Amino acid sequence: MSAPYGLFGTPGYEQLLAVLGAAEESHTRYERTGRLPDLERALVLFDAVLDRTQNIDLRGAAMNGVGTVLWSRYERFGEPVDLDGAITLFREALAPYGTEVTVATPSYWTNLSGALRLRWLRTHDARDLSASVDAIRTALDSTPPGGARRSNRLDSLGDALLSLYHLHGDSAALAEAVGTFRAAVACAEPGTQEQTWARSNLAEALRLHHHQSPDGAPEALDEAALLARAVLAAVPRRHRLYPRFLSNLASILAERHQARADPADLREAARAARRAVAATPAGHPNLVQRNAVLATVRRLELIGAADLAAPAPGVPDGGGQRRPTRRERRAVRAWVRATTEAYATAPEGHALRGLALLNHGSALGTLAVTEGDPHALAAALDLYRKAASDPTMDVSVRVGCAHLWALSVIGGGESRSPDDHAAAMEPFRLAVELLARTASYRIGRMDRARQLGRFAGLAQDAAACALELADPELALRLLEQGRGVLLAQALDARTDTTDLLSRLPDELAAEYARLLPQLDRPEAAAFISSGPAGTGAGHPAPGTPLAGEDRHALAERWDRLVAAIRREPGFRDFLRLPRTAEMLTGLGDEGPVVVVNISPLRCDALVLREGRVRCVALTRLSHAEVVRRADAFLVAVRTAGDATQPLSRQRDAQSEIRETLAWLWTAVAEPVLDALGRRADDGPGGKSPGRMWWIPTGPLTALPLHAAGRHENDRDNLLDRAVSSYAPTVHSLVHARRRQTARPDRRPTAPTAPLVVAVPAPPGAGLVPLEGARAEAALLAARPGARLLLDERAVRRTVLDALPHHPWVHFACHAVAADDGAATGQVLLHDHDTAPLTLTDIARLRLPAAELAYLSACETTRGRGEYADEALHITGAFHMAGFTHVIGTLWAVDDDTSQELADHFYSAFAPRHPFPVHTAYALHNAVRALRDADEGYRLNPSLWAPYIHVGP
């Protein structure tokens, strides 16, 4: 024994100490060999000490020993009573010491932490996980640097952080887990079991890091595979953890196969997964995870057999049904067998049960399609229904199961009936209703976006189902609930609630005023708080970074506060989406608003006008065609703007762009204008074109609807028939209009001083200098009261500090879209390499006086495809921060053209103030002037079509 014990008042102390040593030896031997007699002997010996002494140190050691034996027994047989007993004993061993630290208490805290974490995995009770983190931090506080114990406890902390990541999807917890595991490996003695465990856990954390990283972090998977193989080489095959290490390797190789499609990785993953399951005894609590890994491998084998991505059951693929091959049918059956085992071994309440249920339902649904088995389909529907309706299930699993339930009810064939769509509405409404709960304030903005991105297209499918039932108002409601969730959260935080809160009890109003600015604080890279563990206490300055642990605590307080406010009379709908009738009234009669819904089920335009919602079926449009066109269009605009390409390729690219604009006219704009009664003579030859707003969804957000048409004439194109603006959602447009009308008349006696930010050549970016940006800056800097931040003066901190003081801002610089593997979009300022100005920095601002942001930069309105419905791009970030009107770009813009457009745009405004109400007309006229400048411009729409207006 390494722990000393007091001798006074303890008869037979030396003998008892020897018994404890013998008990620990027996338990260690069991850990090495797995022989049950050793475990039983350890339990008898630890109990003997408890029966024969009242010495608190000896009893503490014996209670801790019995707890570890019960823990081992739980891992062997999976009886929950053993794990509960272990946790109770660890706590009883610690109780007599209070806050006192002895040589032994850090070990007790470590054991308590591990057992709590294991119970969380079974019960999914978040309180156990929080207590686990607190316990291991207490242990580490009393552990000296270096050595096996430090490594072991760092490993336990990393495991707890990894569990928090699994629970909430918090990338800060994952990043800190990776760092913690690296520290555990570094301070472990080479060749020890502590080093082996830490390496194994680091490998798993790196796998998850790859999965979470926007750019895929390919090097993380290679390092993970090397570590996992080294771990297996370091332990004998009969070691009790060998199956776990095999399963970890299988999981890593399966992930790498998904990233690189290397068949060798999949073959090795399959062998390792099979061996891991075969070596794990029935009833072992970790059999759940190992069966889940094998099921994942079987699904990948199916995808390889079919040479395609396995479709979700019920999703129409736009193609004919082909007969599955024998190899495909065998792969489906193997997947079904694996998911059956995974589901059967996951007990009620287990953290992985929901995922096992969803995967088994997907396998059965695929079996129903490939074999025409109605019983398999009925079983899949039953599983989806069960999971979606279970409030104890993980909310992401519930959303996924509800979506699959609805799609499976509808089916992908031509035999869909109104009854099918009516039956599908229940799960569709449930899925959309639950969606916002996947994006809790507990996690950072980009983590919330990732959670929502998993369900891209859900709201559009639900709306399409409602339209099949001829209910356009329900379709609009579902789209507003299921799209722009992050934007809605931002609008809630920026809504003027002064009058509303004045009618609340003082303590609720005060808590609201305290919490709101805290939730808007920038996100810290660290998860663990530097203050008291996860209290979220105090009132730090708004600019103080918010650690993940404190964010979780603040989110809990926020959820309790909102629930309490909604219980107050008259506050039932506090911070809920306005009712459809209220939104339609809020739109007023400024012009029609057109929501274009794109779904594999059907495509439609919802025209909002005069307080009504009208559906215009877009029969020439399909989801598959929009995806294909959007991908080709992106390639074309990049080729057209690439001076290194041959002129012939650039001309071909412009031809592709013109053809896409003509297709947008035929498929979308013309049917909508016909439904609105907008005639061709409503353009330049007749009265001035009126306003209209577009709200595209899904892949259509990447295409320039405002420029739809054949621009060889002044009739068959939207630019000559309407002044187009965009909005992310109807709710955001209503919010912007209310802000605009609530302001006093914006014709001040003193000029509005613009903020002009210009960085023509950001250092180290390797980009072509924007000489036109200097000219733009000079033009605007001449305006009265203008503040110019040029080159080295344009740094992140200065820009963020200046933004609240200028209702009108102009950026003339490079930008990086939140796409192509970028973690987040950013504006390239002078210090971009050390302090990037990201869309997250901008979106968290609260700028009540903001009016106009002109973003003369590339691709400010482009984002990652899975976030298309969340307006997660630089233009959306400025709109989210409070700018009523934003001028942005859909793709990279030409430097000279940008300068010319800015000259046209600002010439429409009085020198002393740009009246915001004129913004859309000013941009519209500037774009038309460019297009009509000469025939060359008309034939090169990539030059004038990327500019858009977002706002009322």
Side-chain angles (χ1 to χ4, degrees):
M1 289 290 296
S2 58
Y5 299 96
L7 302 176
F8 302 103
T10 308
Y13 175 82
E14 296 295 338
Q15 292 89 337
L16 292 171
L17 198 60
V19 173
L20 280 174
E24 289 185 347
E25 269 185 34
S26 292
H27 188 228
T28 301
R29 194 160 49 247
Y30 165 77
E31 295 273 292
R32 188 173 63 251
T33 67
R35 293 181 65 251
L36 278 174
D38 289 324
L39 189 65
E40 292 163 359
R41 182 170 185 272
L43 183 58
V44 169
L45 292 173
F46 282 130
D47 278 339
V49 175
L50 281 175
D51 289 342
R52 287 169 174 76
T53 184
Q54 295 301 312
N55 179 289
I56 64 168
D57 294 328
L58 290 175
R59 288 187 64 80
M63 286 184 207
N64 181 65
V66 175
T68 59
V69 169
L70 293 177
W71 183 345
S72 294
R73 201 161 71 181
Y74 169 75
E75 288 191 324
R76 182 70 173 256
F77 300 111
E79 290 293 336
V81 67
D82 283 334
L83 187 58
D84 293 341
I87 290 168
T88 299
L89 284 163
F90 293 144
R91 283 176 165 152
E92 288 179 359
L94 285 161
Y97 297 103
T99 58
E100 180 187 354
V101 177
T102 71
V103 174
T105 53
S107 294
Y108 303 167
W109 283 113
T110 302
N111 289 337
L112 174 62
S113 174
L116 285 166
R117 198 158 57 255
L118 193 57
R119 188 166 70 178
W120 164 77
L121 192 61
R122 177 173 60 81
T123 66
H124 228 196
D125 188 333
R127 291 171 298 182
D128 278 344
L129 190 51
S130 297
S132 173
V133 173
D134 291 343
I136 193 59
R137 290 176 69 184
T138 303
L140 270 168
D141 287 345
S142 307
T143 305
R149 289 183 177 176
R150 181 77 181 175
S151 175
N152 179 270
R153 288 162 194 170
L154 283 168
D155 195 54
S156 293
L157 176 59
D159 202 28
L161 291 166
L162 214 55
S163 298
L164 280 168
Y165 165 73
H166 282 299
L167 179 61
H168 299 298
D170 194 329
S171 60
L174 176 59
E176 195 144 336
V178 171
T180 304
F181 287 135
R182 289 197 187 280
V185 171
C187 70
E189 290 291 329
T192 61
Q193 65 177 9
E194 286 78 18
Q195 185 191 58
T196 299
W197 293 336
R199 281 180 165 183
S200 176
N201 285 331
L202 175 58
E204 173 63 6
L206 287 169
R207 180 187 73 83
L208 293 168
H209 172 61
H210 154 78
H211 197 70
Q212 183 81 355
S213 177
D215 63 359
E219 71 288 347
L221 278 181
D222 293 334
E223 184 184 358
L226 285 172
L227 285 165
R229 289 195 172 102
V231 165
L232 278 170
V235 297
R237 294 195 175 193
R238 297 189 63 183
H239 192 284
R240 66 184 182 87
L241 293 181
Y242 195 81
R244 170 187 167 182
F245 299 151
L246 271 174
S247 187
N248 286 353
L249 176 62
S251 188
I252 291 163
L253 292 174
E255 190 88 31
R256 195 164 71 175
H257 169 76
Q258 286 183 280
R260 300 179 187 171
D262 185 345
D265 278 341
L266 185 57
R267 287 194 297 269
E268 188 180 354
R271 286 194 299 270
R274 285 196 305 268
R275 290 170 58 200
V277 169
T280 305
H284 192 290
N286 291 336
L287 186 58
V288 184
Q289 292 98 316
R290 291 163 203 172
N291 272 320
V293 172
L294 180 57
T296 297
V297 170
R298 294 303 190 208
R299 178 180 177 273
L300 293 176
E301 289 176 332
L302 167 61
I303 293 172
D307 196 28
L308 48 81
V315 179
D317 60 8
Q321 293 287 336
R322 66 172 178 83
R323 186 178 180 83
T325 66
R326 183 178 300 177
R327 182 182 171 214
E328 288 169 354
R329 289 198 297 272
R330 281 200 307 268
V332 170
R333 293 183 194 123
W335 184 29
V336 170
R337 286 194 298 272
T339 59
T340 300
E341 286 299 314
Y343 179 52
T345 54
E348 291 284 350
H350 194 283
L352 293 179
R353 182 170 174 82
L355 193 59
L357 189 154
L358 186 150
N359 289 337
H360 188 39
S362 297
L364 288 171
T366 304
L367 180 68
V369 172
T370 57
E371 308 235 343
D373 185 345
H375 300 294
L377 179 59
L381 283 169
D382 187 58
L383 288 170
Y384 294 147
R385 188 182 298 108
K386 181 177 181 180
S389 307
D390 185 350
T392 67
M393 283 279 184
D394 179 87
V395 68
S396 293
V397 170
R398 294 183 67 193
V399 173
C401 284
H403 194 187
L404 288 173
W405 171 13
L407 292 174
S408 298
V409 167
I410 294 172
E414 296 298 322
S415 59
R416 287 177 271 166
S417 70
D419 288 344
D420 292 334
H421 289 100
M425 275 318 307
E426 177 191 351
F428 267 136
R429 295 180 78 156
L430 176 62
V432 173
E433 181 184 330
L434 291 171
L435 187 61
R437 288 173 51 188
T438 68
S440 162
Y441 276 118
R442 281 180 172 274
I443 55 180
R445 188 183 303 275
M446 292 311 297
D447 285 336
R448 281 179 266 161
R450 275 186 282 271
Q451 294 277 34
L452 293 167
R454 294 167 56 191
F455 306 108
L458 164 61
Q460 290 94 303
D461 289 345
C465 185
L467 291 173
E468 287 285 356
L469 297 172
D471 195 339
E473 290 201 4
L474 175 58
L476 176 63
R477 179 77 183 175
L478 291 166
L479 286 170
E480 288 296 299
Q481 274 186 292
R483 297 179 63 257
V485 174
L486 297 183
L487 180 59
Q489 290 175 344
L491 294 180
D492 288 344
R494 287 150 182 76
T495 300
D496 186 357
T497 55
T498 306
D499 179 61
L500 201 62
L501 293 177
S502 67
R503 295 184 275 117
L504 280 174
D506 290 345
E507 64 274 14
L508 293 180
E511 177 74 342
Y512 184 87
R514 280 192 297 268
L515 285 183
L516 210 52
Q518 295 304 316
L519 288 169
D520 266 344
R521 285 161 53 194
E523 297 162 16
F527 178 81
I528 297 294
S529 171
S530 57
T535 61
H539 306 289
T544 306
L546 182 64
E549 194 173 19
D550 287 340
R551 186 175 60 245
H552 285 225
L554 286 169
E556 284 188 19
R557 288 172 60 188
W558 174 259
D559 290 343
R560 289 196 300 268
L561 172 65
V562 172
I565 291 175
R566 287 175 178 169
R567 288 194 293 270
E568 293 293 314
F571 285 84
R572 186 182 65 178
D573 293 329
F574 180 71
L575 296 187
R576 285 197 169 105
L577 183 72
R579 300 178 190 279
T580 303
E582 185 182 342
M583 281 193 291
L584 292 173
T585 301
L587 288 175
D589 56 0
E590 302 291 326
V593 176
V594 183
V595 184
V596 186
N597 190 55
I598 306 296
S599 164
L601 303 176
R602 57 180 285 166
C603 296
D604 302 88
L606 296 178
V607 180
L608 283 54
R609 192 181 192 188
E610 298 174 348
R612 296 175 58 239
V613 184
R614 176 185 175 188
C615 176
V616 178
L618 301 177
T619 56
R620 297 179 181 178
L621 201 62
S622 73
H623 181 274
E625 178 75 352
V626 175
V627 171
R628 186 188 70 77
R629 293 270 189 176
D631 290 343
F633 188 83
L634 174 59
V635 173
V637 294
R638 287 182 172 173
T639 302
D642 185 353
T644 66
Q645 295 289 331
L647 287 176
S648 59
R649 290 198 64 187
Q650 293 183 56
R651 283 195 296 269
D652 290 344
Q654 294 290 0
S655 178
E656 171 80 17
I657 295 168
R658 292 195 301 273
E659 201 278 326
T660 302
L661 298 184
W663 167 76
L664 282 172
W665 171 256
T666 303
V668 182
E670 188 176 33
V672 169
L673 291 183
D674 287 347
L676 289 169
R678 291 271 180 106
R679 300 182 306 278
D681 60 359
D682 288 343
K687 62 183 179 182
S688 176
R691 296 287 307 277
M692 69 185 303
W693 284 261
W694 295 96
I695 302 177
T697 66
L700 194 63
T701 57
L703 294 173
L705 271 173
H706 64 285
R710 291 180 280 274
H711 291 271
E712 304 82 45
N713 60 64
D714 293 333
R715 295 170 55 86
D716 296 338
N717 69 79
L718 193 55
L719 199 58
D720 291 317
R721 302 271 289 274
V723 177
S724 293
S725 296
Y726 290 85
T729 63
V730 176
H731 179 38
S732 68
L733 181 57
V734 171
H735 184 272
R737 285 185 176 173
R738 285 176 178 165
R739 286 190 64 204
Q740 183 166 272
T741 56
R743 290 192 179 118
D745 180 31
R746 294 298 299 169
R747 296 175 183 267
T749 54
T752 299
L755 172 68
V756 184
V757 181
V759 185
L767 297 170
V768 177
L770 302 174
E771 296 305 326
R774 294 189 185 278
E776 283 182 48
L779 169 73
L780 293 165
R783 295 220 165 201
R787 182 183 180 186
L788 174 62
L789 298 177
L790 180 65
D791 291 330
E792 66 275 4
R793 295 181 60 204
V795 295
R796 177 180 179 275
R797 185 71 267 156
T798 303
V799 170
L800 287 175
D801 289 343
L803 281 171
H805 305 290
H806 296 270
W808 166 27
V809 301
H810 183 102
F811 281 80
C813 48
H814 286 283
V816 176
D819 194 12
D820 299 330
T824 180
Q826 60 176 279
V827 178
L828 297 185
L829 301 179
H830 189 77
D831 59 344
H832 68 95
D833 55 341
T834 56
L837 179 64
T838 67
L839 69 85
T840 302
D841 293 325
I842 299 161
R844 71 172 183 80
L845 297 174
R846 190 174 304 169
L847 306 173
E851 293 181 356
L852 170 63
Y854 190 119
L855 308 178
S856 186
C858 294
E859 302 184 319
T860 64
T861 319
R862 282 199 61 236
R864 293 172 65 86
E866 63 267 36
Y867 308 152
D869 291 311
E870 289 301 320
L872 273 179
H873 41 63
I874 298 168
T875 300
F878 275 91
H879 195 52
M880 208 176 288
F883 284 93
T884 309
H885 300 268
V886 185
I887 306 299
T889 58
L890 284 170
W891 58 86
V893 293
D894 176 73
D895 187 29
D896 292 336
T897 305
S898 292
Q899 180 189 343
E900 192 175 348
L901 187 87
D903 288 346
H904 277 292
F905 177 82
Y906 287 115
S907 68
F909 299 127
R912 298 177 65 85
H913 185 78
F915 302 116
V917 73
H918 297 158
T919 303
Y921 283 101
L923 180 66
H924 175 82
N925 292 332
V927 170
R928 278 180 60 192
L930 274 182
R931 184 201 63 178
D932 298 340
D934 58 51
E935 190 62 23
Y937 267 114
R938 278 187 181 267
L939 293 175
N940 292 276
S942 70
L943 296 175
W944 50 263
Y947 302 93
I948 66 167
H949 169 254
V950 176

